[in-house]
Amino acid sequence: MRRFLLGNTRLLIALAIVIALTFMSPVFLTKDNLLNVLRQMALLVILSIGMTMAIITGGIDLSIGSVLALSSCLAASFLKRGDSMWPGVMVAFAIGGAAGLLNGIMIAKVKLPPFIATYGMGWITRGIAYVYMGGNIIYGFRPQFRFLGAGYLMGIPMPIIVMACVFTAFYIFLHRTVYGRNIYAVGCNEAATRLSGVRTDRVIIMVYTLNGLLVALAGLLYIARLNAAEPVIGESFPLEAIAATLVGGTPFTGGEGGITGTLFGAFILTLLSNGMNLLGVSSLWQSAVLGSVIVLAILAEEVSKLLTGAGPRLKRISPSP
Amino acid sequence: MPWERDVNMTPQLVRAESQPSPRARASILSKVPGVLYAFIFFIAVFGVRARGFLSLANLVNVSLQGSILAIVSLGMTLVIMTGGIDLSIGSVLSLAGAVTGLLLHGGSPVPLAILAGLLTGMVCGAINGFLISRLNFFPFISTFGMMGIAQGIALVLTDGASLPGFSPAFRAIGDSVVIGIPLPVWIAGAVFGVIYFFLYKTTFGARVYAVGGSKQVARLSGIPVSRVLLSVYTISGFLAGLGGVVLISRMNSANPTVGAGYEFDAIAAVVIGGTPFSGGRGGIGGSILGAAVISVLKNGLNLMGLSAPWQLTVIGLMITAAIVVDVMIYNRKS
Amino acid sequence: MKKAMKICLAMCLVLVFVALGVAQAAEKPFEIVIILKNLVNPVWIDMKKGAEDAAARYGAKLTALAPLKADNNEEQVRAIEDSIIRKVDAIVLIPSDSKGIIPGIEKANKAGIPVINVNTKAHGGKCETFVAVENYDAAFKVADAMAKKLGGQGKVIILEGVPGAQSTMDLNAGTVDALKKYPGIKVVASQTAKFQRAEAMRVMENLLQRYPDIDAVLAANDEMALGAVEAIDAAGKTGKILVSGLDANADAVKAIAEGKLTMSCDKRSYQQGYVGVEMAVKFLRGEKIPERVVIETTLVDKSNVDQYLKK
């Protein structure tokens, strides 16, 4: 029992926040509000799944916010034309995929550090988005498209359904296929993985391309929900997705962790902002509260590791052959 | 993430991956070529195309504008050399400025207010260092948390408004000119000198490089890894505090969000300057050049009157191109 | 590898020169620089358009600068410093921090470059004129009209801008002061949505859980108002909750016509930019210009929305 409790700190933190909010706000534990929280976290979860994969390979993707802005802006302008929404959707995936592919090539082939490659990509794509939009905002999409973000299926908001599908697909991909195993292997030890015959460069390129596609999907959900596209969107997304991943227990060292933890990480972060709104926490305090909770979450995990005897991270990882 | 990654590799693999040359430690400009080319290239282009770029007045202007970035980049360099990162410096800079501004408004003497600002920075840095060195936090997450906390406190302290109008004595820090060079530039120079001394003339420097090379090897060879990390983050926080004091003096007002984004500029300056995230290599000379490249780019594009959206794109292309060239040169050499 | 490097370098060169081709220096006409808060919000884009049209009419050469980090005070000061080095003839300035911008204005004063202050008042330094749209007054006007529309009774939510920004403080003060006159109106929550539509939608969704029975939302700009409108629409409460914005941008006007948004306030951003440059040119020609030009703001609601739709 003790081991279980200490081994699932994230679950416990989420539970603790849920219980606290239930007592502090009468409207928190209602079906409507819970659906609301799930709907709000859908976007973050989709983005964080890609981020988690990048971090598992020992990388990072700082470009997701900007790529999301560019892909959704271009998609929006196509969505406004013609009779069908599909060209717009295709454009979004094409741009997301291309940006991800480029990131992957820069990292795997040109050997740029992931931080820098994706940071540069972020500047460039954001710049193009601004230039392309010329300061305008595109708004008012067809109902067929808006259904994706604002519609309901059997009483459940669409974003939640999309999130569930994406999560299931990637859970299977990561844990039941050889591709998933390779992603972990690259993160554990790239050189050894290469020596064992895996084309590690392809694995890395695949991860960033998938990430780009997920970003495009998130962008479509976003503009469908918001009913508008503008180049400024998503500036805080990279840090939010990284925070969700790390709070979820996937470390930067790579090779460990997974998207289940990330799901909890995103849940905790979304709960916090929902709770702060419900409790009427002053705008000025919000960033301080968020920062403190992130630190406390990780602190709780470290303490639990000490208690279960897993030991601090540095000592736990033994040198690989 | 590349930083900290070498932790789970044997020394041989570390060497195979990052190829530290024996000279890397000795030279402050260990990997300069790429960024130096970029620097010369930008100066040439702006010299031809941007009016007033190559004037003495602009040289003074751009060095003043770049001095704060240079100060915080020096702290960031040490952090990245140990294989870490400090995302909190922008917020800590704002917070230190807010604390100093509040004290000045409360009528406390200028030296005391400055000291308080510097101390604020140091404390934030020390908390980062403590979490990272003693509690094994990842640098990214600890400093990311601090980023939110410091920003929040700065907003709460100032009630979200900027504090304007300081005494001439305080404004002198950002405004005065000594022998034709603005004081902030002298301050950046002095910081460079002190860090240069510690990094290359004392055992502390060798330890920073060793910790960045491999924490395990460093620990096994008797280096007090925790203490090195603690001091590195404290220095970074202190320099962010110093940057905050200089910046609010220059702006003659303490805005609670003025430092936002400095962390990414500093990281870019360090990495363009040839200090890789893997840690254990690089040097502060490159970071100064990196800070200069970023400041010159912004200044030159303003002088040409390029509008903001284009500036974003051009800066992104330039930074990426500078690094790509750098990495290519590096790969070719090895 | 060598070849790849050469290609890379060549590409850099081409890109830079293409980019630089945009900014060609001209000789004779007045050179005016307009420094905006950012180029993210439609308000500033409209203002830039106005400024460009005025420059075209008076034969002046205009460049528009804005901080890359939206609303960053230091970058605005840098833009002034760089414009001084460029020896421009006049600076049209929209400060994002009324106090933090002062050192920049003082430097321009010292260099003898006239500064025309537009939209947000600078609290120091010497400006030739202030083309004023008081955010405080505009917010006051809207809040007052909304309170009247509510009959002086009800629960309202305020959506604030970016914490710490000058406009946030002015707009918030205007709204709060107007509502103070109506004791029957209770502000149940005042939260930031950072001037952004998406953020406002998220905040509003959360607030609607806690306060399902509110009567009105007062947003400090149209973007946030439209985000709130989406959230209210999704909750099926359109029409039951009044929503007001500020700026009267194109989307908002459309939403007013559709009945989703109750009212907004036209701050005439285009006009502000136009008049700012016009004043600069007149000053440079040696004409006398007034110390303060007031741009009238107009409430936009269902009654007069048609004339805005035509624009």
PDB file of all heavy atoms in Angstrom, chain A residues 33 36 40 139 146 222 225 228 273-274 277-278 281 283 286, chain C residues 40 45 191-192 197-198 201-202 205-206 209-210 223 230 251:
ATOM      1  N   ASN A  33     -18.715  21.011 -15.049  1.00  0.00           N
ATOM      2  CA  ASN A  33     -17.375  21.547 -14.875  1.00  0.00           C
ATOM      3  C   ASN A  33     -16.306  20.515 -15.193  1.00  0.00           C
ATOM      4  O   ASN A  33     -15.265  20.846 -15.751  1.00  0.00           O
ATOM      5  CB  ASN A  33     -17.179  22.089 -13.459  1.00  0.00           C
ATOM      6  CG  ASN A  33     -15.875  22.851 -13.353  1.00  0.00           C
ATOM      7  OD1 ASN A  33     -15.587  23.701 -14.189  1.00  0.00           O
ATOM      8  ND2 ASN A  33     -15.069  22.526 -12.365  1.00  0.00           N
ATOM      9  N   ASN A  36     -15.934  20.376 -18.723  1.00  0.00           N
ATOM     10  CA  ASN A  36     -15.256  21.611 -19.088  1.00  0.00           C
ATOM     11  C   ASN A  36     -13.741  21.478 -18.920  1.00  0.00           C
ATOM     12  O   ASN A  36     -12.962  21.824 -19.812  1.00  0.00           O
ATOM     13  CB  ASN A  36     -15.839  22.728 -18.196  1.00  0.00           C
ATOM     14  CG  ASN A  36     -15.140  24.040 -18.364  1.00  0.00           C
ATOM     15  OD1 ASN A  36     -14.755  24.394 -19.469  1.00  0.00           O
ATOM     16  ND2 ASN A  36     -14.962  24.757 -17.271  1.00  0.00           N
ATOM     17  N   GLN A  40     -10.963  21.498 -21.870  1.00  0.00           N
ATOM     18  CA  GLN A  40      -9.861  22.457 -21.899  1.00  0.00           C
ATOM     19  C   GLN A  40      -8.504  21.779 -21.960  1.00  0.00           C
ATOM     20  O   GLN A  40      -7.548  22.322 -22.482  1.00  0.00           O
ATOM     21  CB  GLN A  40      -9.925  23.368 -20.672  1.00  0.00           C
ATOM     22  CG  GLN A  40     -11.086  24.335 -20.760  1.00  0.00           C
ATOM     23  CD  GLN A  40     -11.107  25.311 -19.617  1.00  0.00           C
ATOM     24  OE1 GLN A  40     -10.365  25.189 -18.659  1.00  0.00           O
ATOM     25  NE2 GLN A  40     -11.972  26.299 -19.712  1.00  0.00           N
ATOM     26  N   TYR A 139     -11.880  34.826 -39.164  1.00  0.00           N
ATOM     27  CA  TYR A 139     -12.852  34.311 -38.207  1.00  0.00           C
ATOM     28  C   TYR A 139     -14.103  33.827 -38.917  1.00  0.00           C
ATOM     29  O   TYR A 139     -14.324  34.126 -40.097  1.00  0.00           O
ATOM     30  CB  TYR A 139     -13.220  35.390 -37.199  1.00  0.00           C
ATOM     31  CG  TYR A 139     -13.887  36.578 -37.826  1.00  0.00           C
ATOM     32  CD1 TYR A 139     -15.272  36.676 -37.867  1.00  0.00           C
ATOM     33  CD2 TYR A 139     -13.135  37.575 -38.421  1.00  0.00           C
ATOM     34  CE1 TYR A 139     -15.881  37.740 -38.467  1.00  0.00           C
ATOM     35  CE2 TYR A 139     -13.745  38.651 -39.032  1.00  0.00           C
ATOM     36  CZ  TYR A 139     -15.121  38.730 -39.048  1.00  0.00           C
ATOM     37  OH  TYR A 139     -15.716  39.775 -39.656  1.00  0.00           O
ATOM     38  N   ARG A 146     -16.552  23.622 -37.571  1.00  0.00           N
ATOM     39  CA  ARG A 146     -16.615  24.003 -36.165  1.00  0.00           C
ATOM     40  C   ARG A 146     -17.037  22.838 -35.269  1.00  0.00           C
ATOM     41  O   ARG A 146     -16.713  22.810 -34.094  1.00  0.00           O
ATOM     42  CB  ARG A 146     -17.600  25.171 -35.984  1.00  0.00           C
ATOM     43  CG  ARG A 146     -17.071  26.468 -36.518  1.00  0.00           C
ATOM     44  CD  ARG A 146     -17.498  27.617 -35.667  1.00  0.00           C
ATOM     45  NE  ARG A 146     -16.979  27.496 -34.315  1.00  0.00           N
ATOM     46  CZ  ARG A 146     -17.512  28.090 -33.272  1.00  0.00           C
ATOM     47  NH1 ARG A 146     -18.584  28.820 -33.415  1.00  0.00           N
ATOM     48  NH2 ARG A 146     -16.995  27.958 -32.083  1.00  0.00           N
ATOM     49  N   TYR A 222      -8.110  23.880 -32.189  1.00  0.00           N
ATOM     50  CA  TYR A 222      -8.050  25.184 -31.535  1.00  0.00           C
ATOM     51  C   TYR A 222      -8.879  26.210 -32.296  1.00  0.00           C
ATOM     52  O   TYR A 222      -9.718  26.902 -31.725  1.00  0.00           O
ATOM     53  CB  TYR A 222      -6.589  25.604 -31.476  1.00  0.00           C
ATOM     54  CG  TYR A 222      -6.292  26.835 -30.682  1.00  0.00           C
ATOM     55  CD1 TYR A 222      -6.030  26.752 -29.329  1.00  0.00           C
ATOM     56  CD2 TYR A 222      -6.237  28.081 -31.285  1.00  0.00           C
ATOM     57  CE1 TYR A 222      -5.725  27.876 -28.588  1.00  0.00           C
ATOM     58  CE2 TYR A 222      -5.934  29.216 -30.559  1.00  0.00           C
ATOM     59  CZ  TYR A 222      -5.683  29.103 -29.210  1.00  0.00           C
ATOM     60  OH  TYR A 222      -5.386  30.216 -28.478  1.00  0.00           O
ATOM     61  N   ARG A 225     -12.603  25.555 -32.245  1.00  0.00           N
ATOM     62  CA  ARG A 225     -13.224  25.881 -30.968  1.00  0.00           C
ATOM     63  C   ARG A 225     -13.365  27.390 -30.803  1.00  0.00           C
ATOM     64  O   ARG A 225     -14.374  27.898 -30.351  1.00  0.00           O
ATOM     65  CB  ARG A 225     -12.324  25.340 -29.869  1.00  0.00           C
ATOM     66  CG  ARG A 225     -13.039  24.929 -28.630  1.00  0.00           C
ATOM     67  CD  ARG A 225     -12.148  23.991 -27.859  1.00  0.00           C
ATOM     68  NE  ARG A 225     -11.594  24.652 -26.679  1.00  0.00           N
ATOM     69  CZ  ARG A 225     -12.329  25.069 -25.682  1.00  0.00           C
ATOM     70  NH1 ARG A 225     -13.633  24.939 -25.711  1.00  0.00           N
ATOM     71  NH2 ARG A 225     -11.776  25.632 -24.645  1.00  0.00           N
ATOM     72  N   ALA A 228     -11.747  31.395 -34.746  1.00  0.00           N
ATOM     73  CA  ALA A 228     -10.890  32.460 -35.276  1.00  0.00           C
ATOM     74  C   ALA A 228      -9.460  31.961 -35.345  1.00  0.00           C
ATOM     75  O   ALA A 228      -9.075  31.084 -34.578  1.00  0.00           O
ATOM     76  CB  ALA A 228     -10.962  33.686 -34.377  1.00  0.00           C
ATOM     77  N   SER A 273      -5.610  25.856 -13.340  1.00  0.00           N
ATOM     78  CA  SER A 273      -6.109  27.118 -13.896  1.00  0.00           C
ATOM     79  C   SER A 273      -7.618  27.196 -13.756  1.00  0.00           C
ATOM     80  O   SER A 273      -8.170  28.262 -13.477  1.00  0.00           O
ATOM     81  CB  SER A 273      -5.655  27.316 -15.340  1.00  0.00           C
ATOM     82  OG  SER A 273      -6.311  26.424 -16.171  1.00  0.00           O
ATOM     83  N   ASN A 274      -8.293  26.041 -13.897  1.00  0.00           N
ATOM     84  CA  ASN A 274      -9.742  26.010 -13.664  1.00  0.00           C
ATOM     85  C   ASN A 274     -10.050  26.413 -12.223  1.00  0.00           C
ATOM     86  O   ASN A 274     -10.890  27.269 -11.959  1.00  0.00           O
ATOM     87  CB  ASN A 274     -10.266  24.594 -13.952  1.00  0.00           C
ATOM     88  CG  ASN A 274     -11.726  24.418 -13.590  1.00  0.00           C
ATOM     89  OD1 ASN A 274     -12.045  23.936 -12.528  1.00  0.00           O
ATOM     90  ND2 ASN A 274     -12.624  24.834 -14.471  1.00  0.00           N
ATOM     91  N   ASN A 277      -9.576  30.116 -11.507  1.00  0.00           N
ATOM     92  CA  ASN A 277     -10.693  30.904 -12.027  1.00  0.00           C
ATOM     93  C   ASN A 277     -11.921  30.762 -11.137  1.00  0.00           C
ATOM     94  O   ASN A 277     -12.582  31.729 -10.816  1.00  0.00           O
ATOM     95  CB  ASN A 277     -11.061  30.469 -13.449  1.00  0.00           C
ATOM     96  CG  ASN A 277     -10.059  30.950 -14.476  1.00  0.00           C
ATOM     97  OD1 ASN A 277      -9.837  30.295 -15.463  1.00  0.00           O
ATOM     98  ND2 ASN A 277      -9.437  32.083 -14.225  1.00  0.00           N
ATOM     99  N   LEU A 278     -12.196  29.503 -10.721  1.00  0.00           N
ATOM    100  CA  LEU A 278     -13.384  29.271  -9.900  1.00  0.00           C
ATOM    101  C   LEU A 278     -13.274  29.969  -8.555  1.00  0.00           C
ATOM    102  O   LEU A 278     -14.246  30.489  -8.018  1.00  0.00           O
ATOM    103  CB  LEU A 278     -13.597  27.776  -9.661  1.00  0.00           C
ATOM    104  CG  LEU A 278     -14.010  26.916 -10.844  1.00  0.00           C
ATOM    105  CD1 LEU A 278     -14.329  25.509 -10.397  1.00  0.00           C
ATOM    106  CD2 LEU A 278     -15.204  27.518 -11.562  1.00  0.00           C
ATOM    107  N   VAL A 281      -8.928  33.686  -7.900  1.00  0.00           N
ATOM    108  CA  VAL A 281      -7.579  34.118  -7.519  1.00  0.00           C
ATOM    109  C   VAL A 281      -7.183  35.309  -8.385  1.00  0.00           C
ATOM    110  O   VAL A 281      -7.429  35.321  -9.587  1.00  0.00           O
ATOM    111  CB  VAL A 281      -6.572  32.961  -7.730  1.00  0.00           C
ATOM    112  CG1 VAL A 281      -5.155  33.427  -7.468  1.00  0.00           C
ATOM    113  CG2 VAL A 281      -6.921  31.798  -6.831  1.00  0.00           C
ATOM    114  N   SER A 283      -5.458  37.949 -10.745  1.00  0.00           N
ATOM    115  CA  SER A 283      -4.632  37.738 -11.929  1.00  0.00           C
ATOM    116  C   SER A 283      -3.155  37.800 -11.589  1.00  0.00           C
ATOM    117  O   SER A 283      -2.337  37.082 -12.139  1.00  0.00           O
ATOM    118  CB  SER A 283      -4.913  38.832 -12.955  1.00  0.00           C
ATOM    119  OG  SER A 283      -6.277  39.003 -13.134  1.00  0.00           O
ATOM    120  N   GLN A 286      -1.618  34.486 -10.236  1.00  0.00           N
ATOM    121  CA  GLN A 286      -1.775  33.194 -10.920  1.00  0.00           C
ATOM    122  C   GLN A 286      -0.468  32.542 -11.352  1.00  0.00           C
ATOM    123  O   GLN A 286      -0.289  31.346 -11.180  1.00  0.00           O
ATOM    124  CB  GLN A 286      -2.743  33.343 -12.091  1.00  0.00           C
ATOM    125  CG  GLN A 286      -4.152  33.622 -11.577  1.00  0.00           C
ATOM    126  CD  GLN A 286      -5.218  33.472 -12.626  1.00  0.00           C
ATOM    127  OE1 GLN A 286      -4.946  33.151 -13.760  1.00  0.00           O
ATOM    128  NE2 GLN A 286      -6.457  33.719 -12.248  1.00  0.00           N
TER     129      GLN A 286
ATOM    130  N   VAL C  40       0.335  42.766 -33.246  1.00  0.00           N
ATOM    131  CA  VAL C  40      -0.390  41.530 -33.012  1.00  0.00           C
ATOM    132  C   VAL C  40      -1.885  41.793 -32.996  1.00  0.00           C
ATOM    133  O   VAL C  40      -2.682  41.043 -33.513  1.00  0.00           O
ATOM    134  CB  VAL C  40       0.057  40.934 -31.663  1.00  0.00           C
ATOM    135  CG1 VAL C  40      -0.838  39.794 -31.277  1.00  0.00           C
ATOM    136  CG2 VAL C  40       1.501  40.480 -31.743  1.00  0.00           C
ATOM    137  N   ILE C  45      -2.702  47.444 -36.141  1.00  0.00           N
ATOM    138  CA  ILE C  45      -2.611  47.286 -37.586  1.00  0.00           C
ATOM    139  C   ILE C  45      -3.427  48.402 -38.250  1.00  0.00           C
ATOM    140  O   ILE C  45      -2.977  49.034 -39.215  1.00  0.00           O
ATOM    141  CB  ILE C  45      -3.188  45.922 -38.021  1.00  0.00           C
ATOM    142  CG1 ILE C  45      -2.620  44.796 -37.171  1.00  0.00           C
ATOM    143  CG2 ILE C  45      -2.955  45.689 -39.493  1.00  0.00           C
ATOM    144  CD1 ILE C  45      -1.214  44.430 -37.424  1.00  0.00           C
ATOM    145  N   GLN C 191     -11.043  38.998 -13.767  1.00  0.00           N
ATOM    146  CA  GLN C 191      -9.916  38.117 -14.062  1.00  0.00           C
ATOM    147  C   GLN C 191      -9.221  38.564 -15.337  1.00  0.00           C
ATOM    148  O   GLN C 191      -9.829  39.182 -16.201  1.00  0.00           O
ATOM    149  CB  GLN C 191     -10.421  36.690 -14.246  1.00  0.00           C
ATOM    150  CG  GLN C 191     -10.997  36.084 -12.995  1.00  0.00           C
ATOM    151  CD  GLN C 191     -10.018  35.145 -12.322  1.00  0.00           C
ATOM    152  OE1 GLN C 191      -9.400  34.305 -12.944  1.00  0.00           O
ATOM    153  NE2 GLN C 191      -9.875  35.295 -11.014  1.00  0.00           N
ATOM    154  N   THR C 192      -7.919  38.179 -15.448  1.00  0.00           N
ATOM    155  CA  THR C 192      -7.204  38.541 -16.666  1.00  0.00           C
ATOM    156  C   THR C 192      -7.464  37.508 -17.757  1.00  0.00           C
ATOM    157  O   THR C 192      -7.600  36.322 -17.477  1.00  0.00           O
ATOM    158  CB  THR C 192      -5.694  38.631 -16.437  1.00  0.00           C
ATOM    159  OG1 THR C 192      -5.083  38.962 -17.684  1.00  0.00           O
ATOM    160  CG2 THR C 192      -5.112  37.322 -15.954  1.00  0.00           C
ATOM    161  N   ARG C 197      -8.226  36.252 -27.283  1.00  0.00           N
ATOM    162  CA  ARG C 197      -9.515  35.615 -27.472  1.00  0.00           C
ATOM    163  C   ARG C 197      -9.556  34.225 -26.849  1.00  0.00           C
ATOM    164  O   ARG C 197     -10.478  33.894 -26.112  1.00  0.00           O
ATOM    165  CB  ARG C 197      -9.798  35.511 -28.979  1.00  0.00           C
ATOM    166  CG  ARG C 197     -11.211  35.156 -29.302  1.00  0.00           C
ATOM    167  CD  ARG C 197     -11.375  34.916 -30.781  1.00  0.00           C
ATOM    168  NE  ARG C 197     -11.146  36.121 -31.572  1.00  0.00           N
ATOM    169  CZ  ARG C 197     -11.891  36.451 -32.624  1.00  0.00           C
ATOM    170  NH1 ARG C 197     -12.880  35.692 -32.989  1.00  0.00           N
ATOM    171  NH2 ARG C 197     -11.615  37.528 -33.315  1.00  0.00           N
ATOM    172  N   ALA C 198      -8.513  33.432 -27.111  1.00  0.00           N
ATOM    173  CA  ALA C 198      -8.513  32.055 -26.621  1.00  0.00           C
ATOM    174  C   ALA C 198      -8.514  32.027 -25.098  1.00  0.00           C
ATOM    175  O   ALA C 198      -9.223  31.243 -24.470  1.00  0.00           O
ATOM    176  CB  ALA C 198      -7.287  31.321 -27.154  1.00  0.00           C
ATOM    177  N   MET C 201     -11.839  32.858 -23.724  1.00  0.00           N
ATOM    178  CA  MET C 201     -12.798  31.763 -23.859  1.00  0.00           C
ATOM    179  C   MET C 201     -12.605  30.773 -22.713  1.00  0.00           C
ATOM    180  O   MET C 201     -13.556  30.327 -22.075  1.00  0.00           O
ATOM    181  CB  MET C 201     -12.604  31.068 -25.206  1.00  0.00           C
ATOM    182  CG  MET C 201     -13.604  29.984 -25.475  1.00  0.00           C
ATOM    183  SD  MET C 201     -13.391  29.375 -27.148  1.00  0.00           S
ATOM    184  CE  MET C 201     -14.627  28.108 -27.179  1.00  0.00           C
ATOM    185  N   ARG C 202     -11.337  30.456 -22.424  1.00  0.00           N
ATOM    186  CA  ARG C 202     -11.025  29.500 -21.367  1.00  0.00           C
ATOM    187  C   ARG C 202     -11.477  30.051 -20.005  1.00  0.00           C
ATOM    188  O   ARG C 202     -12.147  29.374 -19.236  1.00  0.00           O
ATOM    189  CB  ARG C 202      -9.520  29.239 -21.335  1.00  0.00           C
ATOM    190  CG  ARG C 202      -9.115  28.061 -20.493  1.00  0.00           C
ATOM    191  CD  ARG C 202      -7.608  27.924 -20.448  1.00  0.00           C
ATOM    192  NE  ARG C 202      -6.969  29.101 -19.852  1.00  0.00           N
ATOM    193  CZ  ARG C 202      -7.026  29.392 -18.563  1.00  0.00           C
ATOM    194  NH1 ARG C 202      -7.681  28.607 -17.749  1.00  0.00           N
ATOM    195  NH2 ARG C 202      -6.444  30.473 -18.089  1.00  0.00           N
ATOM    196  N   GLU C 205     -15.266  30.094 -19.748  1.00  0.00           N
ATOM    197  CA  GLU C 205     -15.838  28.756 -19.532  1.00  0.00           C
ATOM    198  C   GLU C 205     -15.772  28.390 -18.060  1.00  0.00           C
ATOM    199  O   GLU C 205     -16.717  27.852 -17.484  1.00  0.00           O
ATOM    200  CB  GLU C 205     -15.054  27.709 -20.339  1.00  0.00           C
ATOM    201  CG  GLU C 205     -15.409  27.678 -21.804  1.00  0.00           C
ATOM    202  CD  GLU C 205     -14.442  26.823 -22.603  1.00  0.00           C
ATOM    203  OE1 GLU C 205     -13.384  26.419 -22.071  1.00  0.00           O
ATOM    204  OE2 GLU C 205     -14.724  26.567 -23.766  1.00  0.00           O
ATOM    205  N   ASN C 206     -14.627  28.674 -17.463  1.00  0.00           N
ATOM    206  CA  ASN C 206     -14.466  28.357 -16.041  1.00  0.00           C
ATOM    207  C   ASN C 206     -15.381  29.211 -15.174  1.00  0.00           C
ATOM    208  O   ASN C 206     -16.013  28.716 -14.253  1.00  0.00           O
ATOM    209  CB  ASN C 206     -13.008  28.552 -15.627  1.00  0.00           C
ATOM    210  CG  ASN C 206     -12.113  27.493 -16.221  1.00  0.00           C
ATOM    211  OD1 ASN C 206     -12.591  26.427 -16.588  1.00  0.00           O
ATOM    212  ND2 ASN C 206     -10.840  27.779 -16.342  1.00  0.00           N
ATOM    213  N   GLN C 209     -18.972  28.242 -14.920  1.00  0.00           N
ATOM    214  CA  GLN C 209     -19.280  27.141 -14.016  1.00  0.00           C
ATOM    215  C   GLN C 209     -19.631  27.681 -12.632  1.00  0.00           C
ATOM    216  O   GLN C 209     -20.525  27.201 -11.973  1.00  0.00           O
ATOM    217  CB  GLN C 209     -18.075  26.196 -13.896  1.00  0.00           C
ATOM    218  CG  GLN C 209     -17.641  25.579 -15.184  1.00  0.00           C
ATOM    219  CD  GLN C 209     -18.699  24.692 -15.781  1.00  0.00           C
ATOM    220  OE1 GLN C 209     -19.492  24.088 -15.079  1.00  0.00           O
ATOM    221  NE2 GLN C 209     -18.754  24.631 -17.108  1.00  0.00           N
ATOM    222  N   ARG C 210     -18.850  28.671 -12.233  1.00  0.00           N
ATOM    223  CA  ARG C 210     -19.056  29.177 -10.878  1.00  0.00           C
ATOM    224  C   ARG C 210     -20.231  30.159 -10.822  1.00  0.00           C
ATOM    225  O   ARG C 210     -20.973  30.185  -9.863  1.00  0.00           O
ATOM    226  CB  ARG C 210     -17.774  29.864 -10.410  1.00  0.00           C
ATOM    227  CG  ARG C 210     -17.980  30.662  -9.150  1.00  0.00           C
ATOM    228  CD  ARG C 210     -16.936  30.417  -8.103  1.00  0.00           C
ATOM    229  NE  ARG C 210     -17.225  31.138  -6.891  1.00  0.00           N
ATOM    230  CZ  ARG C 210     -16.355  31.872  -6.241  1.00  0.00           C
ATOM    231  NH1 ARG C 210     -15.119  31.972  -6.701  1.00  0.00           N
ATOM    232  NH2 ARG C 210     -16.688  32.480  -5.142  1.00  0.00           N
ATOM    233  N   GLU C 223     -11.201  41.451 -28.619  1.00  0.00           N
ATOM    234  CA  GLU C 223     -10.726  40.075 -28.722  1.00  0.00           C
ATOM    235  C   GLU C 223     -11.239  39.245 -27.547  1.00  0.00           C
ATOM    236  O   GLU C 223     -11.739  38.145 -27.717  1.00  0.00           O
ATOM    237  CB  GLU C 223      -9.191  40.066 -28.748  1.00  0.00           C
ATOM    238  CG  GLU C 223      -8.603  40.486 -30.079  1.00  0.00           C
ATOM    239  CD  GLU C 223      -9.042  39.561 -31.184  1.00  0.00           C
ATOM    240  OE1 GLU C 223      -8.686  38.384 -31.131  1.00  0.00           O
ATOM    241  OE2 GLU C 223      -9.761  40.021 -32.084  1.00  0.00           O
ATOM    242  N   GLU C 230     -17.920  33.325 -27.534  1.00  0.00           N
ATOM    243  CA  GLU C 230     -17.857  31.915 -27.935  1.00  0.00           C
ATOM    244  C   GLU C 230     -18.197  31.005 -26.761  1.00  0.00           C
ATOM    245  O   GLU C 230     -18.911  30.020 -26.902  1.00  0.00           O
ATOM    246  CB  GLU C 230     -16.469  31.569 -28.479  1.00  0.00           C
ATOM    247  CG  GLU C 230     -16.139  32.180 -29.843  1.00  0.00           C
ATOM    248  CD  GLU C 230     -17.086  31.742 -30.939  1.00  0.00           C
ATOM    249  OE1 GLU C 230     -17.667  30.647 -30.826  1.00  0.00           O
ATOM    250  OE2 GLU C 230     -17.276  32.505 -31.907  1.00  0.00           O
ATOM    251  N   ASP C 251     -14.478  42.013 -36.584  1.00  0.00           N
ATOM    252  CA  ASP C 251     -15.189  40.853 -36.039  1.00  0.00           C
ATOM    253  C   ASP C 251     -16.272  41.277 -35.068  1.00  0.00           C
ATOM    254  O   ASP C 251     -17.375  40.740 -35.054  1.00  0.00           O
ATOM    255  CB  ASP C 251     -14.241  39.957 -35.228  1.00  0.00           C
ATOM    256  CG  ASP C 251     -13.223  39.305 -36.089  1.00  0.00           C
ATOM    257  OD1 ASP C 251     -13.024  39.791 -37.206  1.00  0.00           O
ATOM    258  OD2 ASP C 251     -12.648  38.308 -35.645  1.00  0.00           O
TER     259      ASP C 251
END
